[in-house]
Amino acid sequence: MITQSRTDHPETWSAVPARTTLDGHVRSYLARLRGGDMGALPAILGLVVLCAFFSVLRPNFLTAGNFANLFTQGAAVVLIAMGLVFVLLLGEIDLSAGFASGVCAAVLANLLTLQGWPWYLATTAALATGAAIGLVLGFLVAKVGIPSFVVTLAAFLAFQGIMLMLIKGGTTVAVQAAPIVAIENRNLSPLVGWLLAAVAVAGYGVTQLRRYHTRRTRDLATDPLSVVLIRIGGLAAVVGAAVYVLNVERSLNSLISSNRGMPVVVPLIAVLFVALSFVLSRTAYGRHLQAVGGNREAAHRAGISVDRIRISVFVICSSMAAVGGIVAASRFSSVDATTGGSDVLLYAVGAAVIGGTSLFGGKGRVVDAVLGGAVVAVIDNGMGLMDASSGVKYLFTGLVLLLAAGVDALSRRRAAATGNR
């Protein structure tokens, strides 16, 4: 049966065979791999290999305590990378995202500790600061016409000075508001963790089954029911295993203090992941964004407001940087001149690219940031357990990033050669 189905770019249509069997789905997937569409496969394989590698060299890598540490250590980078995906989709770059997160964290700490604001007002102000930063950067790029590399490089330098002014010349400002500190330093009860896992799996299952039913009813191309059920079962297995491990007692002496349950930051990341994924894949805005990333001129001729889209992605990116800054402030219960600096930006960009987002624009998903962030967190964590020097960490992470960029370049070349571009 031949049906009409959307391609990667919403402005184009093509006739493709409906996949109604598991065998046909597998053959189609293998054909996409041969055509250069690798998807998230390299990141997943890399994650498996790295986990196996560090597990052999350091058996304590697989402990429940270290598993929980991976979430808290990588949370800020993953959140910033989620925002960077939107910018990279357009073939732009934001070099200021790291220090933008630091500025927003400094605003939070200043208002909380030095001005005595309530935590919810200080948090709102920090998020508004992130959105304002993105609005200014986007305006300079889209309306003034300054290349994003130049604009965000200038912001990268300027934000370091702004941070020093906000925190009085480089002193450390404590963050003691309990709701903020709890994000990275408190756990949910085991029961709440299981309930959230059940809600997440049920929600995903209902969404997938409704989508399958709708497309079948309209005689549109769809994956076979067996594949849909495998996806739901796979998610249930992964989430269930993660919650089980996180609910294991991690305290050395549970009689004195208990340390079990899902870190509070995990559902925060999950909620933002679902929201941003929905925006990118299920809304007109998301389709317009991908159209602009695929072919800016064609999108403009189709009536899409290209400038508005370009500005909006910087607003999203800086807003997510603000969330990352708040999470970083929570982790260390303080903010100083290095917050958001050092390797935060490099790790965030690396996370998005390693996960499968293209530096050339036109290809990227929010899940790429999560998978790539997991790879970066595993490398950083594993190297720390091995007592590797900072030089070795940077070298190893750089090589992984170079490999991911190479896979992306080769995949695009392969796709162009096979006509799947």
Side-chain angles (χ1 to χ4, degrees), residues 94-169:
D94 186 353
L95 299 176
S96 67
F99 275 113
S101 73
V103 168
C104 296
V107 169
L108 174 76
N110 190 295
L111 295 177
L112 279 176
T113 305
L114 304 181
Q115 305 298 326
W117 284 32
W119 69 269
Y120 49 88
L121 290 181
T123 301
T124 301
L127 294 174
T129 300
I133 288 173
L135 188 62
V136 172
L137 296 179
F139 178 83
L140 293 174
V141 172
K143 295 297 186 180
V144 181
I146 307 174
S148 60
F149 179 89
V150 177
V151 171
T152 58
L153 178 59
F156 171 86
L157 299 172
F159 289 161
Q160 297 179 60
I162 293 175
M163 281 190 64
L164 291 174
M165 290 186 286
L166 286 173
I167 57 178
K168 310 303 180 186

Side-chain angles (χ1 to χ4, degrees), residues 347 379-380 383-384 386-397:
Y347 278 178
I379 293 173
D380 190 47
M383 288 291 181
M386 294 175 61
D387 294 324
S389 66
S390 297
V392 174
K393 284 185 183 180
Y394 288 134
L395 176 61
F396 196 80
T397 307

Side-chain angles (χ1 to χ4, degrees), residues 187-202 235-248 260-263 266-267:
N187 303 317
L188 302 173
S189 70
L191 177 59
V192 172
W194 282 117
L195 289 175
L196 290 177
V199 169
V201 173
L235 178 67
V238 171
V239 171
V243 174
Y244 173 80
V245 174
L246 290 173
N247 284 341
V248 171
R260 58 195 298 245
M262 180 188 299
V266 175

Side-chain angles (χ1 to χ4, degrees), residues 28-54:
S28 176
Y29 177 71
L30 294 176
R32 292 201 303 273
L33 289 180
R34 289 192 296 269
D37 184 4
M38 303 293 289
L41 183 61
I44 294 174
L45 291 179
L47 192 59
V48 171
V49 170
L50 287 170
C51 288
F53 175 75
F54 289 123

Side-chain angles (χ1 to χ4, degrees), residues 78-389:
V78 168
L79 290 167
I80 296 172
M82 284 184 185
L84 280 167
V85 166
F86 285 77
V87 173
L88 293 174
L89 262 171
L90 299 190
E92 306 285 0
I93 189 65
D94 186 353
L95 299 176
S96 67
F99 275 113
S101 73
V103 168
C104 296
V107 169
L108 174 76
N110 190 295
L111 295 177
L112 279 176
T113 305
L114 304 181
Q115 305 298 326
W117 284 32
W119 69 269
Y120 49 88
L121 290 181
T123 301
T124 301
L127 294 174
T129 300
I133 288 173
L135 188 62
V136 172
L137 296 179
F139 178 83
L140 293 174
V141 172
K143 295 297 186 180
V144 181
I146 307 174
S148 60
F149 179 89
V150 177
V151 171
T152 58
L153 178 59
F156 171 86
L157 299 172
F159 289 161
Q160 297 179 60
I162 293 175
M163 281 190 64
L164 291 174
M165 290 186 286
L166 286 173
I167 57 178
K168 310 303 180 186
T171 58
T172 298
V173 180
V175 175
Q176 298 176 335
I180 301 297
V181 174
I183 296 173
E184 281 271 47
N185 298 284
R186 296 290 184 271
N187 303 317
L188 302 173
S189 70
L191 177 59
V192 172
W194 282 117
L195 289 175
L196 290 177
V199 169
V201 173
Y204 178 78
V206 169
T207 301
Q208 290 294 306
L209 291 173
R210 285 186 61 183
R211 182 172 184 269
Y212 170 80
H213 175 73
T214 300
R215 295 187 69 84
R216 289 285 292 182
T217 301
R218 297 177 180 178
D219 201 27
L220 298 173
T222 184
D223 295 328
L225 180 60
S226 57
V227 172
V228 175
L229 294 177
I230 288 173
R231 287 174 180 161
I232 298 172
L235 178 67
V238 171
V239 171
V243 174
Y244 173 80
V245 174
L246 290 173
N247 284 341
V248 171
E249 182 61 63
R250 303 190 289 272
S251 175
L252 296 177
N253 191 338
S254 59
L255 296 177
I256 299 177
S257 64
S258 178
N259 184 19
R260 58 195 298 245
M262 180 188 299
V264 174
V265 73
V266 175
L268 171 63
I269 294 175
V271 168
L272 290 172
F273 167 74
V274 171
L276 293 177
S277 296
F278 178 82
V279 168
L280 193 57
S281 62
R282 303 292 183 187
T283 65
Y285 169 79
R287 291 190 292 272
H288 291 171
L289 194 157
Q290 295 192 43
V292 174
N295 190 320
R296 188 176 300 175
E297 182 61 30
H300 177 72
R301 292 180 179 179
I304 296 174
S305 179
V306 174
D307 286 350
R308 186 177 301 173
I309 294 293
R310 296 177 73 193
I311 293 173
S312 69
V313 297
F314 283 96
V315 173
I316 292 173
C317 182
S318 294
S319 297
M320 288 302 297
V323 177
I326 294 170
V327 169
S330 170
R331 181 185 176 193
F332 299 106
S333 299
S334 65
V335 174
D336 59 30
T338 64
T339 302
S342 185
D343 50 13
V344 172
L345 172 67
L346 301 179
Y347 278 178
V349 173
V353 175
I354 290 170
T357 298
S358 176
L359 284 169
F360 304 99
K363 186 181 75 171
R365 300 172 300 167
V366 181
V367 71
D368 296 341
V370 177
L371 291 173
V375 171
V376 171
V378 165
I379 293 173
D380 190 47
N381 181 275
M383 288 291 181
L385 292 177
M386 294 175 61
D387 294 324
S389 66

